[in-house]
Amino acid sequence: MSTALLLIDLQQDYLQAAGLTPHPAEICARASALLHRFRHAGLSVFHLWTTINEAKESMPHWQRAGIQRCVAGTPGHQTPFALAPADHEQIIHKQFYSGFTNSRLLTQLEAIEADSLVLAGLYTRACIRTTAIDAYQHGYSVTIAEDATGDIDPIHAAITRQYLSERGIVFRPISQIPCGAPTFSNTTSPQNEAEPIKIPTIFINGSPEYGESDRQTVVRSPHDGKTASVVTHADRTTISRVVAASRKSTRAWQATPVAERQELAMRIHQKIEEQNKDFSERITETIGKPIRDAKQEVQFALRLIESAVASSKQHGQSVISQSATAANWNAIRRPHGVVAAITPWNNPLAIAVGKITPAILYGNTVVWKPAIQGAPVAVQLMQQIQDCGFPNHVINAVFGDHSTAEYLIRNPDIDALTLTGSSQTGIAAQVIGLTRQIPLQMELGGNNAAIVWSDADLHDATKQIIAGGFGNAGQRCTATRRVIVDQRCFDSFWSLLKSHFSDLRWGDPWNESTDIGPVVSAESVQRLREVIERARIGGGKVYSPFSSPEFIQDTHQAGYYSPPTLVINSDPMNEIWQRETFGPVVVIQTASSWQEALQLCNGVEQGLVAALFTNSESIKEDFLENANAGILKVNAPTAGASASAPFCGWKSSGTGPPEHGVGDIEFYTRWQVRY
């Protein structure tokens, strides 16, 4: 028996559709890498193409709308060169959705005795879905390459994913799809590795439990590539047990006096403060964040706890408002019950305590699902919480991948969800959350812009942009990713930017002087390399002096290091301008007028942070009035935020009430009116 790859509708007419997510260049790169691996392994590949020979063959709704698409012999019918079929590979032509409508597909699969299929291509909600269902009906095991598929309707695609997952169809990134060929890696496994940390499957009532499962993830150190930890994923039954325990504790915890909750929260603060050095080192060891930045994260975590406690004291009484003219009602805010907190790897301590602390202060219990890469930090925090004296099951934790998160959100005893992650993660969670009609709070990253106007202090602006763009290797949601420069000052700006850029110290995260450490994984290195190369092919000018072979050899490069890079781009629709890179890459574009600069700033899907560098009061006021982002900064980097201010993304950068500050009571409680 064997595995076959089905590449579905990766044709130019589909790839050029407006709003395709992920970006078509990224889909093609992932699909091409998967295709190469299948070819390298000698496995069968089938190219499923929509083929229209004459108008009457097209789908009825196309005919009604006058759509001419995938017509044989036209450029739109063809695939990109990298995905072109090899001579020995089968092309299966179809008119409608499923590849199985052409009987040749089933005949050929039976001929090679295939028993499992891997699907990649377009669109998830349509041809991917119907082909997967038909394959399921014919008895095939089906895996869908989640990062090599796309759709113009991401919400519908997320619903489809949920529907198919519930029927045993597996979604995995291509790096986790076995096909007998190497997966992405820019390093070999070092010899004589130390024993990796074994991560508990759950923490329940402060105690770790180590489950047995065939679903595990091995996490390697970004710094040196060695195996750092092994995470065994919690299954649906285990998660249900944890959530049920949290549910049983809600009434007792809500009855606990506010002052006692505040005291327990400050005990977490005390434990982190006492273990400051250990937490900093664990963060650096786990995610490769430079030790200097790791220390700053620990301090920010402490400030977040202090701010949440201060805010809860301000709102100490449950009665928030009462009618001044009628004595027969009052309005109070009540906790939700059990809150699911899903946190990312890039700030594994600060973001976690920024969610857990206000949740418990306002009377909720918490089931926390940390990101796999940050699991060792999560274990250390849970161990410290264990010693704080909390009542049973106020803070529990489950470990695993995106499936674990989905099981958690779907659990009927989860009353609210707070999540920080990527846009795609947020869409999937939003679909589940809306289906269950629970309150959502989601921070979903940012493709943040800084505008540099000609009257700005260019020396200061370039320093701030370098710090904001390359700190933590650009792996933070507030990082400066795009720079819009008044063309009148571009030459001076570029000269200063290159000078400050060359002063960056890139390398060993354990060195106190290091500005930029590694990125989190081999997959991140590969993804960034491909994005930059596609920008170069698309006409971008790439400046990356750190990428010379001599420099790389002299830098500690056993792990996952992506050279800091500047890209001058002239196309506002280019992938590298439109999509968040989440790495040490800053893209620059010029503007000939203030209105063009503002249009470039606002012309992306996300809207988390925008910055302006100017000394003009009129430009500043127009920016503050018209920039479409939840956080605006003047003469300051996009990166960084106050622990006490609301953290609020606009557009696709956020959903629900903001994190922190006044956002805490808005999200972690709800109104109840009593007559």
Side-chain angles (χ1 to χ4, degrees), residues 23 531 534-535 538-540 569 571-579:
H23 193 279
V531 167
R534 290 196 294 270
N569 171 69
D571 181 4
M573 299 311 295
N574 192 285
E575 171 195 15
I576 203 165
W577 184 263
Q578 284 292 321
R579 303 297 168 98

Side-chain angles (χ1 to χ4, degrees), residues 268 356 380-390 395:
I268 300 176
I356 292 170
Q380 184 171 348
L381 179 58
M382 289 301 297
Q383 288 169 337
Q384 297 304 314
I385 289 173
Q386 180 181 6
D387 297 331
C388 290
F390 278 89
I395 305 171

Side-chain angles (χ1 to χ4, degrees), residues 181-511:
T183 56
F184 291 140
S185 180
N186 69 330
T187 182
T188 56
S189 299
Q191 300 297 312
N192 303 318
E193 291 187 351
E195 187 71 21
I197 299 171
K198 186 176 181 182
I199 303 298
T201 307
I202 60 173
F203 264 88
I204 186 165
N205 195 26
S207 299
E209 290 188 11
Y210 297 83
E212 297 296 329
S213 171
D214 58 357
R215 297 186 63 246
Q216 292 186 331
T217 298
V218 176
V219 181
R220 295 190 174 277
S221 164
H223 170 50
D224 56 22
K226 295 180 179 178
T227 301
S229 61
V230 177
V231 180
T232 300
H233 304 181
D235 59 21
R236 192 191 300 262
T237 301
T238 304
I239 292 167
S240 294
R241 180 163 64 90
V242 174
V243 176
S246 296
R247 163 65 65 207
K248 289 178 181 177
S249 301
T250 54
R251 286 189 179 276
W253 181 242
Q254 290 171 11
T256 301
V258 174
E260 188 174 329
R261 295 183 216 150
Q262 293 163 350
E263 181 184 348
L264 287 166
M266 287 308 296
R267 287 185 196 173
I268 300 176
H269 182 284
Q270 181 182 352
K271 290 290 184 182
I272 295 173
E273 197 167 35
E274 290 172 353
Q275 300 292 319
N276 188 321
K277 182 173 182 293
D278 291 342
F279 272 111
S280 300
E281 291 177 351
R282 182 57 59 89
I283 291 168
T284 297
E285 178 184 83
T286 299
I287 64 167
K289 180 177 287 190
I291 187 66
R292 188 178 64 206
D293 293 336
K295 291 177 180 177
Q296 292 174 359
E297 179 181 342
V298 175
Q299 293 305 310
F300 187 59
L302 294 172
R303 292 197 297 275
L304 285 169
I305 296 173
E306 293 163 4
S307 174
V309 170
S311 180
S312 73
K313 288 181 178 178
Q314 180 182 351
H315 300 296
Q317 301 301 316
S318 61
V319 177
I320 304 300
S321 71
Q322 183 169 331
S323 169
T325 57
N328 68 329
W329 68 269
N330 63 50
I332 66 171
R333 297 200 72 112
R334 300 272 294 167
H336 293 293
V338 184
V339 173
I342 298 175
T343 60
W345 55 265
N346 62 327
N347 287 287
L349 179 65
I351 291 178
V353 299
K355 294 179 184 294
I356 292 170
T357 307
I360 61 172
L361 283 169
Y362 290 109
N364 302 281
T365 59
V366 175
V367 180
W368 174 29
K369 191 274 167 189
I372 283 181
Q373 295 94 331
V377 178
V379 169
Q380 184 171 348
L381 179 58
M382 289 301 297
Q383 288 169 337
Q384 297 304 314
I385 289 173
Q386 180 181 6
D387 297 331
C388 290
F390 278 89
N392 291 347
H393 308 300
V394 171
I395 305 171
N396 290 329
V398 297
F399 293 84
D401 63 359
H402 61 81
S403 296
T404 307
E406 290 177 9
Y407 293 150
L408 178 61
I409 304 167
R410 289 177 190 163
N411 189 286
D413 276 327
I414 291 297
D415 298 305
L417 166 66
T418 175
L419 176 149
T420 299
S422 68
S423 294
Q424 285 181 293
T425 300
I427 289 170
Q430 189 172 4
V431 166
I432 301 170
L434 291 175
T435 301
R436 293 204 49 242
Q437 297 184 319
I438 59 174
L440 304 174
Q441 177 194 65
M442 297 194 292
E443 192 280 294
L444 304 175
N447 191 6
N448 311 303
I451 302 175
V452 180
W453 214 237
S454 56
D455 62 355
D457 180 339
L458 296 183
H459 181 78
D460 179 65
T462 50
K463 286 180 66 176
Q464 300 273 28
I465 286 167
I466 291 294
F470 294 100
N472 194 23
Q475 299 174 124
R476 49 186 174 180
C477 57
T478 58
T480 304
R481 312 209 184 280
R482 302 177 296 133
V483 183
I484 301 148
V485 186
D486 185 339
Q487 66 179 18
R488 293 172 296 179
C489 67
F490 177 76
D491 290 342
S492 298
F493 169 84
W494 180 243
S495 178
L496 284 167
L497 189 71
K498 288 194 296 182
S499 175
H500 292 309
F501 185 64
S502 299
D503 292 336
L504 284 171
R505 287 154 293 194
W506 175 49
D508 184 359
W510 291 103
N511 189 323

